[in-house]
Structure formats: structure tokens, C-alpha cells
């Protein structure tokens, strides 16, 4: 799965190795800036929050993990450093988060929707 941040400055990518990677988009060239692990199965969906601070990942086992994503102000050389919640999933309230996309098939936006419902 791949997903651009709302402002297209970052690209999140993941797959069978269960690792979420975030790349900075610098004039069309991508550089790895953050990596997080925590899923127990292949990751199939990625969603960014509207403000670009949270990244949601979902695996085929329907685990939802959230990654706090932000730029930190500083290194000694003056460049900004990007962090992805200390490389472990973020634990916090996500009920009222507004998501830019909804590729995940689990979570609050789809609560109550069931594939077992039959129309007549």
C-alpha cells in the first residue's frame, strides 16, 4: 500500500514485511525519513489525517495502528528531522480525527457497516 500525505510532501509505503516507511518528497526524489514496525501481518491500507500528523495503517488481520508523524525542529546542522512516533505505534485518542482518505476497512468511519448485510 502507498499513500501521499495531504500536502504531497510525504509518501507512506508498506507491504508484506509489515514495516511502515515514510519518505520525504523533495522535488520528486524520495528519501526515507521514518520507519515503524508493529503489525503482525501484511499491511494493506494507509490513511493520513487531514492535518498530516497521524498515519493509520491496517493489516490483513484487521489490526489498526496509528503513527504520530511530525517534523521536529532541530538538529545541530539546522536541518529538520522527521520522526514517526519513536518507531512504535502511537497510543492515543483517534475517535474524532478527520481522515483525508478512508482506505482502511476498519475503524470509526466504517463502524456499523457490515459485509454480512443482505439487501432484498
Amino acid at each position: 500500500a502507498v499513500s501521499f500525505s495531504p500536502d504531497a510532501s510525504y509518501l507512506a509505503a508498506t507491504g508484506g514485511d509489515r514495516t511502515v516507511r515514510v519518505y520525504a518528497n523533495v522535488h520528486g526524489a524520495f528519501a526515507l525519513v521514518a520507519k515503524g514496525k508493529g503489525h503482525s501481518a501484511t499491511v494493506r491500507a494507509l490513511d493520513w489525517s487531514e492535518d498530516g500528523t497521524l498515519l493509520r495503517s491496517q493489516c490483513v488481520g484487521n489490526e489498526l495502528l496509528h503513527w504520530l508523524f511530525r517534523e521536529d525542529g532541530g538538529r545541530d546542522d539546522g536541518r529538520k528531522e522527521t520522526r514517526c512516533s519513536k518507531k512504535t505505534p502511537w497510543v492515543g485518542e483517534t475517535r474524532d480525527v478527520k481522515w483525508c482518505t478512508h482506505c482502511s476497512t476498519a475503524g470509526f468511519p466504517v463502524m456499523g457497516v457490515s459485509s454480512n448485510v443482505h439487501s432484498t
Side-chain angles (χ1 to χ4, degrees):
V2 295
S3 181
F4 277 99
S5 63
D7 65 358
S9 61
Y10 295 99
L11 174 68
T14 188
D17 69 352
R18 305 174 304 202
T19 301
V20 176
R21 291 176 178 83
V22 179
Y23 300 87
N25 180 3
V26 183
H27 307 295
F30 295 92
L32 182 65
V33 293
K35 184 165 49 170
K37 293 185 177 191
H39 279 288
S40 61
T42 299
V43 181
R44 69 172 169 197
L46 294 167
D47 294 302
W48 288 92
S49 62
E50 286 183 356
D51 64 4
T53 60
L54 279 178
L55 179 64
R56 173 175 63 192
S57 57
Q58 179 192 12
C59 74
V60 295
N62 287 327
E63 291 173 322
L64 277 179
L65 297 182
H66 296 88
W67 309 90
L68 182 60
F69 187 76
R70 66 184 185 280
E71 286 184 347
D72 286 342
R75 299 175 9 166
D76 292 336
D77 60 7
R79 295 187 314 180
K80 288 188 176 181
E81 188 170 66
T82 304
R83 297 183 188 269
C84 187
S85 63
K86 300 178 185 174
K87 300 183 175 100
T88 58
W90 178 73
V91 179
E93 183 62 49
T94 61
R95 182 186 65 191
D96 296 323
V97 172
K98 291 183 182 350
W99 296 99
C100 187
T101 59
H102 295 284
C103 296
S104 299
T105 58
F108 289 107
V110 294
M111 193 177 271
V113 178
S114 173
S115 62
N116 295 328
V117 176
H118 301 288
S119 60
T120 57

